[in-house]
Amino acid sequence: MTSSQLSSAAAKAQALADFINNSPTPYHAVHCAAQQLTKAGFKEIRERDSWSSTLQPGGKYYVTRNGSSIIAFGIGKRWKAGNPISMVGAHTDSCTLRIKPVSKKSSAGFLQVGVETYGGGKWHTWFDRDLSIAGRVMVKDGKGGFSQKLVKVERPILRIPTLAIHLDREKSFEPNTETELFPIAGLVAAELNRTGESGDGKKGDEEATQVKNASDEPFQPLQAATDRHHPYVVQIIAEHAGVGVEDVVDFEMVLYDTQKACIGGINNELIFAARLDNLGMTHSAVEGLITSVESPNALDNDSTIRLISCFDHEEIGSTSAQGAKSNFLPAILRRLSVLPAAQVDSKQARESQDTSTAYEQTLSTSFLVSADMAHSVHPNYAHKYESDHRPEMNKGTVIKINANQRYMSNAPGIVLIQEVARLAKPSSGSTATVGVPLQLFVVRNDSPCGSTIGPMIASSLGTRTIDVGNAQLSMHSIRETAGVYDVERATRLFASFFEHYGDLESKIIID
Ligand SMILES: [Zn+2]
């Protein structure tokens, strides 16, 4: 590789590491994506508003739901109602531990925090890590309303300790997720020292609550946050939200590893990070869309809409108001599908446009690239992989195939993505050759198989879909590994898809 290829790839990988470091939760990931999109000229719109006077061919927009899912799109200047929409879909959530609604615990002189498992994490990897908390806080805004603040505590305040090997001769390590996965937050004695309270004089939790309820304080339907959680934890959250403790009404806080994502390997060819699944593909989706519209006339001759959709809740099955099984994407597609052509295209053309079947026409002409990380071959467990389908890191984006439709890739889709990969431009400032290499993956017949948002969106919309993703190791561990060079390749692949789908769509029609 040339030095410019190296530096361009390294810069893209570092941008992914920064994105991951700034995105410990889906709320942060959506916030970071929105910031990048805004910088690239995308305007924020809201689902609760009418878009009829806002959306214009040639315009770029984004919309969020629950602050944890985001859809962004650029409208081609030659767009007409019922035209195709090229889509890249990914997910913003990752397996984690969430602070329980009542989390205040203490045992054997330790302060502890009750946590709930989210998704199918490799929970043993959460032990002995320097953990902290991040999430969203609902606070009183001082005007009778409530608003959301994002919080990320930087210093490590929690830890889940393993049991010393001398006290544990078990061969396998399968911690009980209810009784053995409780983080410690410090020592009771240190907390009493901080607050100046004496251990003896302090009332037990239940007793203290009863005393409080019996007092003259105004009625509260729920116990205050400071009664349900360790008060100092709430105080730290309030400080980071920039509000007083009394203004914290509720929060959704999760744990994250404070060790930052970094570039590793003896030749700096690997990325070591949390949440590569699926911030890796979320990042490439956002960057790919931005790259595809960055030149001022990028949308001039485009008759499609270029769209990315990054959903929360994939790791728990996508059934929520903002997950891939919700109406978020269908509702946006419906509103876009009937969008009239630009006024320059004569009044007559505008009036003659039949929008009664525009939604169905758009669905049948559109295409979804479902982007979720794939499994790299593992050198110590190579026998677990099908012998002819072992994706390698830094060898290009992986097409995921499964006869039982756990993945949506099929022959016409593979034809399309190959054309897209062939046409992919080098990144600006790089002397890389045109094109992005691709790899194929199927699981062994005697192996379980993952799935993605691909089948659920394809089955509800009937839209053509392919499943792709970059190769990584240790999926669902607290610390995963991926390849540096694959980052910019996926970004270029998605940019090429957006740039060329309008031309390619009519060339691969299977009715
Ligand atoms: Zn995933």
Side-chain angles (χ1 to χ4, degrees):
M1 295 211 183
T2 66
S3 60
S4 76
Q5 267 175 280
L6 279 171
S7 59
S8 160
K12 287 276 193 296
Q14 188 55 51
L16 168 59
D18 295 343
F19 181 70
I20 291 172
N21 289 334
N22 291 326
S23 304
T25 75
Y27 309 110
H28 290 82
V30 163
H31 178 71
C32 289
Q35 278 184 321
Q36 278 173 263
L37 290 160
T38 303
K39 213 171 134 200
F42 286 71
K43 291 193 182 71
E44 183 176 11
I45 51 173
R46 305 197 312 165
E47 280 194 277
R48 57 177 57 230
D49 297 333
S50 163
W51 297 346
S52 59
S53 59
T54 321
L55 300 192
Q56 297 297 333
K60 296 174 283 186
Y61 310 88
Y62 72 86
V63 55
T64 64
R65 191 183 273 192
N66 186 46
S68 61
S69 293
I70 184 165
I71 290 177
F73 52 88
I75 306 168
K77 285 195 179 161
R78 298 191 169 204
W79 165 265
K80 282 201 297 240
N83 269 15
I85 300 182
S86 50
M87 302 180 271
V88 174
H91 66 91
T92 57
D93 62 320
S94 302
C95 302
T96 188
L97 297 171
R98 186 165 87 165
I99 295 183
K100 286 184 175 178
V102 179
S103 74
K104 190 177 174 182
K105 295 193 185 290
S106 54
S107 177
F110 285 95
L111 297 174
Q112 291 192 273
V113 173
V115 292
E116 202 182 354
T117 57
Y118 174 87
K122 289 171 82 76
W123 302 123
H124 62 274
T125 64
W126 284 70
F127 282 73
D128 294 344
R129 310 291 303 187
D130 304 346
L131 305 171
S132 195
I133 54 175
R136 70 158 164 199
V137 192
M138 295 304 296
V139 302
K140 293 179 193 156
D141 66 5
K143 293 175 271 180
F146 304 89
S147 64
Q148 167 187 307
K149 299 257 185 202
L150 295 188
V151 162
K152 181 181 177 225
V153 178
E154 300 284 342
R155 69 182 174 103
I157 57 174
L158 299 176
R159 202 172 164 93
I160 310 169
T162 49
L163 183 61
I165 196 161
H166 318 79
L167 306 176
D168 183 14
R169 298 292 186 204
E170 295 284 327
K171 281 221 173 67
S172 66
F173 182 49
E174 287 163 12
N176 179 295
T177 51
E178 179 58 33
T179 59
E180 293 169 342
L181 200 62
F182 273 151
I184 55 170
L187 298 171
V188 174
E191 180 62 2
L192 291 176
N193 207 15
R194 185 186 68 83
T195 58
E197 289 178 51
S198 84
D200 309 342
K202 207 180 174 215
K203 305 260 183 205
D205 287 355
E206 226 170 279
E207 219 179 319
T209 309
Q210 281 166 4
V211 168
K212 207 159 203 178
N213 286 347
S215 74
D216 300 333
E217 284 179 25
F219 172 72
Q220 298 287 352
L222 274 178
Q223 274 186 300
T226 42
D227 290 331
R228 291 188 277 131
H229 308 280
H230 288 299
Y232 196 26
V233 170
V234 181
Q235 193 181 319
I236 291 170
I237 292 170
E239 277 165 16
H240 281 77
V243 299
V245 169
E246 64 286 356
D247 293 328
V248 171
V249 186
D250 200 25
F251 52 72
E252 287 165 45
M253 300 292 288
V254 302
L255 275 51
Y256 80 96
D257 187 355
T258 56
Q259 186 179 4
K260 296 221 178 307
C262 63
I263 307 297
I266 54 172
N267 287 297
N268 295 315
E269 66 272 53
L270 302 174
I271 305 171
F272 304 147
R275 303 181 294 282
L276 284 166
D277 171 21
N278 193 25
L279 294 185
M281 287 296 100
T282 293
H283 176 75
S284 281
V286 173
E287 291 269 315
L289 177 62
I290 289 174
T291 305
S292 88
V293 295
E294 85 197 332
S295 106
N297 50 8
L299 292 165
D300 285 3
N301 291 314
D302 196 352
S303 57
T304 70
I305 290 176
R306 307 172 180 187
L307 178 147
I308 58 166
S309 191
C310 303
F311 299 99
D312 194 2
H313 291 151
E314 190 273 345
E315 297 294 359
I316 51 156
S318 297
T319 306
S320 73
Q322 57 277 356
K325 265 190 196 160
S326 73
N327 79 334
F328 187 32
L329 180 60
I332 304 301
L333 294 182
R334 183 180 296 278
R335 293 171 80 159
L336 294 181
S337 67
V338 296
L339 197 70
Q343 281 161 346
V344 285
D345 271 352
S346 92
K347 197 162 171 266
Q348 218 178 354
R350 238 172 116 79
E351 281 167 358
S352 69
Q353 215 169 315
D354 170 23
T355 57
S356 64
T357 60
Y359 181 57
E360 289 75 13
Q361 288 176 281
T362 289
L363 293 185
S364 74
T365 51
S366 295
F367 196 97
L368 170 71
V369 175
S370 161
D372 204 344
M373 294 298 275
H375 301 292
S376 159
V377 65
H378 191 308
N380 305 345
Y381 299 92
H383 60 282
K384 292 277 188 188
Y385 297 74
E386 206 278 342
S387 57
D388 293 317
H389 300 85
R390 294 176 172 173
E392 292 174 44
M393 277 186 199
N394 289 331
K395 294 251 173 106
T397 304
V398 180
I399 303 171
K400 301 186 266 182
I401 302 157
N402 182 256
N404 299 298
Q405 304 300 298
R406 303 282 293 166
Y407 304 129
M408 281 292 94
S409 311
N410 63 9
I414 293 171
V415 170
L416 174 82
I417 207 77
Q418 279 191 86
E419 292 308 307
V420 165
R422 208 189 307 281
L423 294 165
K425 286 194 288 231
S427 35
S428 54
S430 157
T431 54
T433 46
V434 172
V436 165
L438 297 171
Q439 309 184 74
L440 295 168
F441 176 74
V442 297
V443 291
R444 290 169 59 103
N445 287 323
D446 57 2
S447 162
C449 182
S451 191
T452 70
I453 58 167
M456 63 187 70
I457 294 177
S459 59
S460 68
L461 297 183
T463 293
R464 295 169 289 179
T465 301
I466 192 166
D467 270 293
V468 304
N470 280 347
Q472 71 158 89
L473 287 169
S474 315
M475 194 175 281
H476 290 196
S477 164
I478 197 166
R479 195 91 179 151
E480 303 170 329
T481 298
V484 157
Y485 300 97
D486 290 329
V487 180
E488 63 103 22
R489 284 178 179 147
T491 304
R492 289 197 289 121
L493 183 71
F494 300 156
S496 174
F497 169 62
F498 289 128
E499 282 157 22
H500 299 290
Y501 183 67
D503 290 337
L504 292 170
E505 192 278 327
S506 60
K507 293 182 181 162
I508 313 164
I509 296 177
I510 312 291
D511 283 326

